[in-house]
Amino acid sequence: TSGSRKTTLLKTIILSQLMNDQNQQVLIMDFENEYTDIAKNFNQQIIEFTKSVDLDAPNINIFQIPYVDTFNPITQKFDKTPKLTNLHEAFNNQLQYVSGVLRMLLSRDNNKLSINEINVLETEITELYKSFKITKFTDFNKIPNNKWPIIDDLVEQISKKIKSLTKKDVNNSIDDYITVHKLLIPFTNEGMYAGIFNRYTNIEINE
């Protein structure tokens, strides 16, 4: 809530992390331009996003799993492929991350997703990765940027699900699917936020 000093607390945590470990990577989605001072003071990379539909505008696909480290501390060398434990952790973290970002976006304007709507969202996110043959056993580092799902793909999948559902469905409420679908539209190519959240990653994050 506003005025609860969340930004101050978070800045303290981030500063502590950066000062204690110079190799620590911190990725911040800064909608209110509150963390630019920290980035500048620590000579960090700043990427500015806009609502432009220009395909060359900077973008990070929220569905794309970041590079998974292949460094082997035992051999002190980089393996050809990441360890399964690293892949499993990265995949599970990504599911939580995508769910969290979309829940935040869809809860704007004082809207709050119901438990059933959250379940719909999380179920469809997991199914979306499956449809792209992306699982916790996949070597994410080998997937090109343009082969990851985007919000358009999620909305298309939910549209198909709505058509397959009827009012008689008990376990899958069609109303919940319709609500989630409607809330996602502004972030598709038909909506005003397409330039921010519905593009493939086209930038490199400095290591």
Side-chain angles (χ1 to χ4, degrees):
T1 57
S2 178
S4 59
R5 302 180 66 83
K6 295 189 299 296
T7 299
T8 301
L9 175 60
L10 188 54
K11 280 187 175 183
T12 302
I13 295 173
I14 293 171
L15 285 170
S16 175
Q17 291 287 329
L18 291 174
M19 289 189 291
N20 290 333
D21 184 0
Q22 294 182 352
N23 295 320
Q24 179 74 33
Q25 289 185 323
V26 180
L27 179 62
I28 303 172
M29 296 180 68
D30 187 8
F31 295 102
E32 301 294 335
N33 197 29
E34 297 175 308
Y35 299 90
T36 304
D37 55 337
I38 293 180
K40 289 180 177 178
N41 290 336
F42 283 87
N43 296 318
Q44 297 299 303
Q45 183 181 18
I46 300 175
I47 303 168
E48 295 186 7
F49 297 91
T50 69
K51 292 189 289 186
S52 171
V53 294
D54 182 2
L55 293 179
D56 294 326
N59 191 72
I60 297 177
N61 179 8
I62 62 172
F63 288 92
Q64 182 168 346
I65 299 176
Y67 179 83
V68 180
D69 191 9
T70 63
F71 183 73
N72 189 324
I74 298 177
T75 63
Q76 293 294 302
K77 295 180 180 179
F78 287 92
D79 297 330
K80 290 184 178 180
T81 58
K83 292 182 179 180
L84 281 179
T85 52
N86 292 351
L87 292 176
H88 293 177
E89 181 180 6
F91 184 72
N92 290 332
N93 288 342
Q94 187 68 16
L95 291 178
Q96 295 178 31
Y97 166 72
V98 174
S99 173
V101 171
L102 290 180
R103 285 168 62 180
M104 176 188 67
L105 295 176
L106 302 188
S107 296
R108 69 194 188 284
D109 300 330
N110 295 321
N111 291 325
K112 186 176 181 180
L113 296 180
S114 68
I115 296 297
N116 288 340
E117 289 163 357
I118 291 173
N119 289 338
V120 166
L121 186 63
E122 293 183 343
T123 297
E124 293 306 313
I125 290 171
T126 302
E127 290 300 316
L128 181 64
Y129 278 111
K130 285 183 181 179
S131 70
F132 275 73
K133 294 181 171 56
I134 299 174
T135 71
K136 61 183 179 180
F137 300 103
T138 305
D139 186 351
F140 315 122
N141 297 344
K142 295 181 179 179
I143 304 177
N145 290 352
N146 63 353
K147 296 300 181 182
W148 289 90
I150 57 177
I151 290 182
D152 270 354
D153 299 310
L154 179 62
V155 170
E156 181 181 359
Q157 176 178 285
I158 293 176
S159 295
K160 293 179 180 178
K161 179 63 70 70
I162 291 173
K163 292 178 182 178
S164 68
L165 295 175
T166 69
K167 286 289 185 179
K168 295 181 180 180
D169 284 301
V170 177
N171 296 325
N172 298 299
S173 171
I174 189 171
D175 292 332
D176 295 325
Y177 275 87
I178 290 174
T179 298
V180 172
H181 180 272
K182 180 180 179 180
L183 291 172
L184 282 168
I185 292 298
F187 303 96
T188 67
N189 275 340
E190 300 176 16
M192 62 183 297
Y193 301 112
I196 305 178
F197 300 104
N198 196 43
R199 294 283 184 272
Y200 300 113
T201 298
N202 60 2
I203 60 174
E204 292 292 334
I205 302 295
N206 293 341
E207 296 184 0

